[in-house]
């Protein structure tokens, strides 16, 4: 059977693949600790679930406008003003079937063949694939741990050419948890001023920050850039609503119009019930975020301190999100690892190490190569304190057995 080149060129999401593999092994009775999942382990807050039930009971179960119900658009407008000091009109907002869908839609309506999107690495696994699916060219800009895994103004300036259509700013970041400070965003803004380059600001982790870090959106800092900034967000991470599939875009009305046209011919509207639940989430009691943050703050310290105690491993403290991104270059150079690395699957270091940990420590983690960088891996600390402590213990035991 023949298939399109576009689908043959796309690889399945590595993060979803790791989670599926962990679940399959658990189903076989194998005791696996899953650190691959990119979703909060908390239940959706009760008042949000009640809003969905009320929507069902009141018959709000029919088609809605393709771009979402006006009530939810207005709730998003109020949120962006309240939290980000950004003003948008209702025709500058569209609702989509999750944050991933929002980015996918944007690429489909913005890119001509050969248009380039600048993507700092390490990156969320789906960015390059979604650019490629729209016949665009993902231009990966490698960052370093020494700069907090953040792109510098000089790197940005060097990467821009006449084919550059946009740049992705994901802060706080998946997978590293790195976040841009106000000063760093202002420096990037200086490079982008006077250009027609679109700024794709993926703010999905904006509420999950630590140690008093202040989240900023580049458009709120530099109003001059607002006409070329597209804000992407969702209720998934902030309110533990990953399965509800509601994301949104705020940006120039011409772009929003085309996104809604595309959506009308693909998914039609986002789920009606989820939209009413999202209104409750965005407009309701925001203290539910603090409950999750308290747990994430505690877990962050447990996992980072634990990883830094393992021979050959090192991990920076993330400013946001719920991921640890340890490096293990020293481990790779250890003679004990050199002797056995050929036994484990993968053509790159991070895949081999993750295979080693899966088999020997019964730990599921995502290899760094999936995010565009080798010699690192991502572990989600959106799991219990006990799982984190046990996971660190298992990694330590497996590593110590071969470390020389």
């Amino acid at each position: 059977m023949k298939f399109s080149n576009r689908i043959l060129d796309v690889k399945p999401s590595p993060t979803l693949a790791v989670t599926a593999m962990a679940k399959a092994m658990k189903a076989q009775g194998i005791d696996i600790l899953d650190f691959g999942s990119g979703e909060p382990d908390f239940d959706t807050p009760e008042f949000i679930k009640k809003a969905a039930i009320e929507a069902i009971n009141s018959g709000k179960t029919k088609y809605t406008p393709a771009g979402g119900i006006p009530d939810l658009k207005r709730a998003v407008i109020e949120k962006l003003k309240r939290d980000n000091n950004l003003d948008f009109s209702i025709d500058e907002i569209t609702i989509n079937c999750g944050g991933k869908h929002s980015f996918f839609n944007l690429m489909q309506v913005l890119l001509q063949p050969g248009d380039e999107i600048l993507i700092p690495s390490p990156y969320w696994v789906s960015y390059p694939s979604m650019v490629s699916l729209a016949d665009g060219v993902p231009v990966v800009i490698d960052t370093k741990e020494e700069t907090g895994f953040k792109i510098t103004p000089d790197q940005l300036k060097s990467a821009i050419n006449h084919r550059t259509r946009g740049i992705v700013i994901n802060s706080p970041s998946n997978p590293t948890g790195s976040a841009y400070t106000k000063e760093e965003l202002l420096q990037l803004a200086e490079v982008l001023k006077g250009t027609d380059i679109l700024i794709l600001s993926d703010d999905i982790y904006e509420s999950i920050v630590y140690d008093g870090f202040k989240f900023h959106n580049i458009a709120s800092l530099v109003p001059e850039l607002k006409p070329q900034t597209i804000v992407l967000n969702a209720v998934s991470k902030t309110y533990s609503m990953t399965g509800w599939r509601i994301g949104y875009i705020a940006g120039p009305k011409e772009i929003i119009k085309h996104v809604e046209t595309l959506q009308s011919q693909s998914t039609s509207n986002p789920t009606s019930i989820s939209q009413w639940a999202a209104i409750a989430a965005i407009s309701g009691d925001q203290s539910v975020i603090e409950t999750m943050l308290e747990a994430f703050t505690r877990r962050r310290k447990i996992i980072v301190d634990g990883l830094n105690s393992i021979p050959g491993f090192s991990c920076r403290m993330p400013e946001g999100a719920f991921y640890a991104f340890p490096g293990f270059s020293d481990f790779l150079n250890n003679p004990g690892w050199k002797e056995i690395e050929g036994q484990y699957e993968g053509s790159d270091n991070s895949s081999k190490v993750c295979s080693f940990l899966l088999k020997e420590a019964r730990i599921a983690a995502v290899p760094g190569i999936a995010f565009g960088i080798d010699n690192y891996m991502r572990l989600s600390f959106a799991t219990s304190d006990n799982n984190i402590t046990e996971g660190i213990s298992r990694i330590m035991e497996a590593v110590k057995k071969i470390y020389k």
Side-chain angles (χ1 to χ4, degrees):
M1 183 172 294
K2 293 183 178 180
F3 295 95
S4 68
N5 289 335
R6 73 174 61 86
I7 194 59
L8 294 176
D9 290 341
V10 173
K11 298 177 182 178
S13 167
T15 51
L16 295 179
V18 167
T19 299
M21 179 172 57
K23 288 181 178 178
M25 294 178 73
K26 286 180 182 179
Q28 297 170 18
I30 303 172
D31 177 24
I32 298 293
L33 290 177
D34 181 13
F35 289 88
S37 182
E39 63 179 347
D41 59 321
F42 301 94
D43 193 11
T44 303
E46 195 65 29
F47 75 93
I48 299 173
K49 292 193 289 185
K50 285 182 177 179
I53 293 169
E54 290 172 6
I56 293 171
N57 289 336
S58 61
K60 295 174 179 175
T61 58
K62 306 298 184 182
Y63 291 133
T64 76
I69 56 177
D71 297 61
L72 180 51
K73 289 188 176 187
R74 283 190 284 267
V76 169
I77 290 169
E78 292 170 5
K79 178 262 178 247
L80 291 167
K81 179 63 176 176
R82 177 189 74 211
D83 297 342
N84 309 111
N85 196 31
L86 289 170
D87 291 309
F88 289 94
S89 59
I90 199 164
D91 57 357
E92 294 176 315
I93 305 292
T94 187
I95 312 301
N96 318 111
C97 304
K100 181 179 287 188
H101 190 220
S102 297
F103 193 90
F104 180 89
N105 283 347
L106 272 178
M107 296 302 97
Q108 292 295 317
V109 304
L110 291 177
L111 300 184
Q112 295 282 6
D115 284 350
E116 295 181 353
I117 297 291
L118 307 182
I119 305 174
S121 166
Y123 47 69
W124 177 45
V125 294
S126 294
Y127 290 141
S129 291
M130 290 192 287
V131 171
S132 297
L133 279 168
D135 292 329
V137 179
V139 176
V140 174
I141 304 173
D142 294 327
T143 67
K144 298 180 180 179
E145 187 171 354
E146 291 74 22
T147 60
F149 294 118
K150 290 175 279 191
I151 189 174
T152 67
D154 286 342
Q155 283 182 300
L156 174 57
K157 192 180 302 182
S158 297
I160 292 172
N161 61 50
H162 69 280
R163 294 181 298 275
T164 306
R165 186 75 171 105
I167 176 173
V168 175
I169 296 179
N170 176 212
S171 173
S173 157
N174 176 3
T176 66
S178 297
Y180 289 90
T181 65
K182 176 180 178 180
E183 292 71 24
E184 289 167 338
L185 287 175
L186 288 173
Q187 291 172 5
L188 295 179
E190 287 302 310
V191 178
L192 295 166
K193 284 180 181 178
T195 73
D196 60 356
I197 295 171
L198 294 172
I199 303 164
L200 310 175
S201 185
D202 187 345
D203 300 350
I204 197 165
Y205 293 98
E206 67 168 314
S207 298
I208 305 173
V209 291
Y210 309 102
D211 300 333
F213 184 91
K214 177 65 174 175
F215 168 82
H216 292 283
N217 181 287
I218 198 168
S220 63
L221 292 176
V222 187
E224 176 185 340
L225 292 178
K226 182 173 177 283
Q228 65 198 79
T229 300
I230 303 170
V231 179
L232 300 102
N233 212 323
V235 298
S236 305
K237 316 295 183 178
T238 303
Y239 305 103
S240 196
M241 294 176 67
T242 49
W244 298 75
R245 309 315 300 139
I246 294 292
Y248 57 87
I249 304 171
K253 61 183 180 181
E254 295 84 1
I255 293 175
I256 298 303
K257 177 183 177 182
H258 287 305
V259 166
E260 294 190 347
T261 298
L262 173 68
Q263 191 157 288
S264 73
Q265 297 289 4
S266 56
T267 59
S268 295
N269 59 274
T271 303
S272 60
I273 301 156
S274 294
Q275 291 188 65
W276 290 103
I279 293 173
I282 293 171
S283 304
D285 181 6
Q286 301 299 295
S287 66
V288 295
I289 302 171
E290 295 303 318
T291 303
M292 287 195 291
L293 265 180
E294 182 180 345
F296 287 150
T297 300
R298 183 179 65 251
R299 295 168 180 179
R300 180 183 69 139
K301 179 172 174 54
I302 295 171
I303 196 168
V304 172
D305 288 352
L307 288 166
N308 282 323
S309 72
I310 296 170
F313 282 63
S314 66
C315 186
R316 68 183 296 276
M317 190 68 78
E319 291 87 5
F322 40 71
Y323 306 110
F325 199 66
F328 39 80
S329 293
D330 289 347
F331 172 77
L332 295 171
N333 292 324
N334 185 268
W337 171 250
K338 294 289 188 184
E339 290 175 7
I340 66 168
E341 64 175 318
Q343 303 174 22
Y344 299 100
E345 298 173 4
S347 58
D348 52 85
N349 292 325
S350 57
S351 293
K352 287 181 179 179
V353 170
C354 285
S355 175
F356 161 73
L357 292 177
L358 184 63
K359 292 182 179 179
E360 310 300 336
R362 303 180 311 286
I363 292 293
V366 186
I369 200 68
F371 307 100
I373 187 171
D374 204 5
N375 298 0
Y376 290 85
M377 64 181 176
R378 192 193 78 175
L379 294 94
S380 168
F381 52 87
T383 186
S384 70
D385 297 34
N386 288 340
N387 280 350
I388 295 170
T389 302
E390 172 65 16
I392 294 296
S393 176
R394 291 186 186 186
I395 297 173
M396 178 73 80
E397 183 180 350
V399 169
K400 279 188 172 180
K401 284 181 179 178
I402 65 166
Y403 214 80
K404 295 181 179 181

